[in-house]
Amino acid sequence: MVHSMTGFAVQNRDLGAVTLHLELRSVNSRYLDLTFRIADDLRQAEPALRERISARLTRGKVECRLNLQTNDAAPRSLAINGALIAQLAEAQAAVRERMPDARPLSVSDVLRWPGMLADDSLAFEQLQPAIAALIDAALDEFVATRRREGDKLADMIRERVVRMRELVATAAPRMPLIVAEYQDRLTVRLREAVAALDEDRIRQEVALYAQRIDVAEELTRLTTHLDEVERILKAGGSAGKRLDFLMQELNREANTLASKSPATDITGIAMEMKVLIEQVREQVQNIE
């Protein structure tokens, strides 16, 4: 299967007091370009996220967002640091023994003391397993969306390939007749233009020009390139760059077909092929 470079996925994990939120989105890019927008308290997760994403994707401009959302409805609890409050009591007693007039610590003073209150927030080490599971689930969803989009692109390309094959099949049997007709017309014109020219010279000139307008080789290469497009679509994987190269080759052959053919119907076939090739090329830019 081929994969589109356009995709989106979002995953959440409820951890009680907080919810982990991870979002992946991507657009076209020549290479794999990763951008991370991560909350400061989760910044340590970036290397692991980068490694996991790089293992699953090869192309696309990918943005990864990871943050913690507080669950306001979840019950919260506060714990007083007993050891610290005992130390403060001892320190206050020692101070007041030497300075009896010193103001005693108030409840608010004690509660505001650094390290006195501990809430139920999770340390990063506790969040790591949840983050790993979250990115794996998000990548599964993300790859699935890119695969579904890739299937649609592949179907569109196959339709255009079928039409291009029909055009080649229409042009191929016409070429011998077109070349023969053109040889006859050219022979007549040469005889009229140069009455003294001998028949051998006329035949040589006609044969030489017939070679120049013969597009059998271009039609064969078009068929070969179309075979390769279908083979790549069937093989799947990272196909975007190979398909883009083939569109360039197909366009080159269609240009040659248009420039060499002396018949308007063959020129029309070449122009229609160029339109189809351009339609495919635009979609190939979306394929990983």
Side-chain angles (χ1 to χ4, degrees):
M1 295 181 180
V2 297
H3 290 187
S4 168
M5 282 190 283
T6 303
F8 176 80
V10 60
Q11 288 285 322
N12 295 290
R13 286 291 183 278
D14 189 344
L15 303 178
V18 295
T19 295
L20 273 173
H21 175 83
L22 189 144
E23 183 179 301
L24 293 173
R25 62 176 70 233
S26 70
V27 294
N28 302 349
S29 177
R30 189 174 180 182
Y31 306 105
L32 181 61
D33 182 7
L34 302 180
T35 301
F36 294 91
R37 303 186 184 277
I38 303 177
D40 290 339
D41 48 353
L42 300 175
R43 183 58 62 182
Q44 300 173 70
E46 181 175 331
L49 293 174
R50 184 180 295 275
E51 180 180 353
R52 276 178 154 80
I53 294 172
S54 299
R56 299 283 297 274
L57 309 177
T58 58
R59 291 181 71 197
K61 183 176 178 60
V62 183
E63 181 181 289
C64 175
R65 294 176 179 265
L66 176 66
N67 57 64
L68 277 174
Q69 299 173 347
T70 302
N71 295 335
D72 295 331
R76 307 298 298 275
S77 62
L78 295 176
I80 295 177
N81 189 331
L84 181 56
I85 201 171
Q87 293 174 7
L88 280 177
E90 292 177 4
Q92 178 176 247
V95 170
R96 299 203 65 190
E97 183 178 344
R98 297 190 179 191
M99 302 174 63
D101 295 333
R103 183 176 64 84
L105 292 169
S106 67
V107 173
S108 61
D109 291 335
V110 173
L111 293 177
R112 285 199 300 268
W113 198 270
M116 181 58 66
L117 294 177
D119 59 26
D120 55 357
S121 60
L122 300 174
F124 177 75
E125 289 72 19
Q126 296 172 286
L127 294 172
Q128 277 184 301
I131 293 174
L134 196 66
I135 185 60
D136 287 343
L139 280 169
D140 288 343
E141 178 185 347
F142 189 68
V143 170
T145 63
R146 286 165 57 121
R147 183 173 60 246
R148 288 193 295 271
E149 182 68 20
D151 289 342
K152 295 177 183 177
L153 293 174
D155 289 341
M156 187 283 295
I157 293 172
R158 290 189 183 97
E159 289 176 3
R160 301 313 190 270
V161 167
V162 168
R163 179 54 185 157
M164 283 189 269
R165 286 190 183 281
E166 292 173 352
L167 293 171
V168 171
T170 300
R174 285 274 295 127
M175 288 314 301
L177 179 60
I178 290 172
V179 171
E181 290 176 348
Y182 200 81
Q183 285 177 313
D184 292 341
R185 292 200 302 271
L186 186 59
T187 300
V188 171
R189 290 175 185 174
L190 284 173
R191 285 179 178 146
E192 292 173 351
V194 188
L197 201 62
D198 62 84
E199 287 297 319
D200 287 341
R201 180 63 183 275
I202 290 176
R203 282 194 293 271
Q204 290 174 7
E205 293 294 331
V206 170
L208 180 62
Y209 199 78
Q211 291 177 3
R212 293 176 181 174
I213 67 170
D214 189 359
V215 293
E217 186 176 346
E218 284 74 16
L219 293 174
T220 299
R221 282 199 293 264
L222 282 168
T223 300
T224 301
H225 294 329
L226 292 173
D227 290 342
E228 183 65 8
V229 170
E230 291 188 325
R231 188 196 68 77
I232 290 173
L233 289 174
K234 184 177 181 180
S238 182
K241 291 183 179 179
R242 289 176 291 166
L243 289 172
D244 188 54
F245 172 76
L246 281 173
M247 292 309 108
Q248 297 177 36
E249 295 302 303
L250 283 167
N251 192 61
R252 182 179 294 110
E253 301 302 336
N255 281 333
T256 305
L257 181 64
S259 63
K260 289 178 66 174
S261 174
T264 56
D265 58 341
I266 300 300
T267 303
I269 285 174
M271 292 301 102
E272 184 176 349
M273 287 200 68
K274 285 175 62 66
V275 171
L276 293 168
I277 292 166
E278 181 60 23
Q279 290 174 351
V280 174
R281 191 195 66 79
E282 289 178 359
Q283 298 305 318
V284 163
Q285 306 309 309
N286 298 318
I287 292 178
E288 183 177 0

